[in-house]
Amino acid sequence: MRKFNAILTVLIMILFLDHAIFGSLQLFGANNVMVMKVTSRICAVLIFIHAAIGIKLTIDSIRVWRKTGAPYFRENALFWARRISGAAIMVLIFFHMFAFSSTVNGNLQLKPFTTAKTIMQILFVVSIALHVLTNIRPLFIAIGARSLKRFLPDILVILSIVLIISIAAFIIYYFRWQRI
């Protein structure tokens, strides 16, 4: 199950990067690609499967801790950071999915992009960053990458750029709504 989850994670990362880049372009007003809908829905399904696997693995860990009577919470801080950031993503993904538009009588209608929505989107990006950063090493181990040091700097630079652009896109989109 862990190997399947690792493969799933790589697919999620590819789809996430695609969604973040093209979504940012759309928020900047430079892109209006409806293909994004398909990739974002596929990504959402994969994320929910990934979350279900994570919940099962967390329950298994808690069962072991109960049997042994030794949870070692301080020593497992990274484990809990991964779980908490994942839980935050699961909550914030719903705000993200419903923040931008809705369908009224079969027509797409934009929703006002308020300060609260902007803050939720920035928290969403921060949660994703924390989750990816705390899980990158286990992912590399799970997929059998020989050297984390070789790829890590490039991955972190690309991820940082995409996340910063995403936050900038949310902020610019917010200010564009304020002018309306």
mmCIF file of all heavy atoms in Angstrom, residues 24-31 176:
data_model
loop_
_atom_site.group_PDB
_atom_site.id
_atom_site.type_symbol
_atom_site.label_atom_id
_atom_site.label_comp_id
_atom_site.label_asym_id
_atom_site.label_seq_id
_atom_site.Cartn_x
_atom_site.Cartn_y
_atom_site.Cartn_z
ATOM 1 N N SER A 24 -2.825 29.834 -11.748
ATOM 2 C CA SER A 24 -2.234 31.154 -11.504
ATOM 3 C C SER A 24 -2.340 32.032 -12.749
ATOM 4 O O SER A 24 -2.690 33.211 -12.649
ATOM 5 C CB SER A 24 -0.770 31.009 -11.086
ATOM 6 O OG SER A 24 -0.679 30.356 -9.845
ATOM 7 N N LEU A 25 -2.054 31.443 -13.892
ATOM 8 C CA LEU A 25 -2.192 32.212 -15.137
ATOM 9 C C LEU A 25 -3.631 32.685 -15.327
ATOM 10 O O LEU A 25 -3.869 33.813 -15.748
ATOM 11 C CB LEU A 25 -1.751 31.369 -16.338
ATOM 12 C CG LEU A 25 -0.253 31.114 -16.460
ATOM 13 C CD1 LEU A 25 0.030 30.112 -17.576
ATOM 14 C CD2 LEU A 25 0.496 32.413 -16.696
ATOM 15 N N GLN A 26 -4.567 31.834 -14.974
ATOM 16 C CA GLN A 26 -5.971 32.209 -15.091
ATOM 17 C C GLN A 26 -6.322 33.341 -14.123
ATOM 18 O O GLN A 26 -7.021 34.277 -14.485
ATOM 19 C CB GLN A 26 -6.858 30.997 -14.838
ATOM 20 C CG GLN A 26 -8.288 31.209 -15.239
ATOM 21 C CD GLN A 26 -9.070 29.899 -15.270
ATOM 22 O OE1 GLN A 26 -8.563 28.849 -14.898
ATOM 23 N NE2 GLN A 26 -10.303 29.983 -15.703
ATOM 24 N N LEU A 27 -5.813 33.278 -12.899
ATOM 25 C CA LEU A 27 -6.074 34.346 -11.933
ATOM 26 C C LEU A 27 -5.394 35.651 -12.337
ATOM 27 O O LEU A 27 -5.898 36.732 -12.042
ATOM 28 C CB LEU A 27 -5.617 33.927 -10.533
ATOM 29 C CG LEU A 27 -6.411 32.797 -9.883
ATOM 30 C CD1 LEU A 27 -5.821 32.442 -8.526
ATOM 31 C CD2 LEU A 27 -7.877 33.140 -9.759
ATOM 32 N N PHE A 28 -4.256 35.545 -13.017
ATOM 33 C CA PHE A 28 -3.585 36.739 -13.522
ATOM 34 C C PHE A 28 -4.347 37.329 -14.714
ATOM 35 O O PHE A 28 -4.092 38.441 -15.133
ATOM 36 C CB PHE A 28 -2.154 36.428 -13.982
ATOM 37 C CG PHE A 28 -1.173 36.201 -12.866
ATOM 38 C CD1 PHE A 28 -0.271 35.160 -12.925
ATOM 39 C CD2 PHE A 28 -1.133 37.042 -11.762
ATOM 40 C CE1 PHE A 28 0.649 34.950 -11.905
ATOM 41 C CE2 PHE A 28 -0.217 36.842 -10.742
ATOM 42 C CZ PHE A 28 0.675 35.788 -10.814
ATOM 43 N N GLY A 29 -5.276 36.547 -15.278
ATOM 44 C CA GLY A 29 -6.049 36.994 -16.426
ATOM 45 C C GLY A 29 -5.410 36.641 -17.748
ATOM 46 O O GLY A 29 -5.830 37.121 -18.795
ATOM 47 N N ALA A 30 -4.396 35.782 -17.735
ATOM 48 C CA ALA A 30 -3.658 35.461 -18.949
ATOM 49 C C ALA A 30 -4.044 34.125 -19.563
ATOM 50 O O ALA A 30 -3.539 33.762 -20.599
ATOM 51 C CB ALA A 30 -2.160 35.439 -18.636
ATOM 52 N N ASN A 31 -4.944 33.397 -18.926
ATOM 53 C CA ASN A 31 -5.233 32.046 -19.396
ATOM 54 C C ASN A 31 -6.695 31.723 -19.077
ATOM 55 O O ASN A 31 -7.195 32.073 -18.027
ATOM 56 C CB ASN A 31 -4.299 31.049 -18.693
ATOM 57 C CG ASN A 31 -4.505 29.636 -19.157
ATOM 58 O OD1 ASN A 31 -4.982 29.408 -20.253
ATOM 59 N ND2 ASN A 31 -4.141 28.697 -18.325
ATOM 60 N N ARG A 176 -7.881 42.625 -7.893
ATOM 61 C CA ARG A 176 -8.692 42.841 -9.095
ATOM 62 C C ARG A 176 -10.168 42.860 -8.718
ATOM 63 O O ARG A 176 -10.950 43.642 -9.278
ATOM 64 C CB ARG A 176 -8.412 41.759 -10.136
ATOM 65 C CG ARG A 176 -7.042 41.956 -10.797
ATOM 66 C CD ARG A 176 -6.685 40.858 -11.779
ATOM 67 N NE ARG A 176 -7.680 40.711 -12.817
ATOM 68 C CZ ARG A 176 -7.894 39.575 -13.449
ATOM 69 N NH1 ARG A 176 -7.190 38.491 -13.178
ATOM 70 N NH2 ARG A 176 -8.794 39.493 -14.392
#
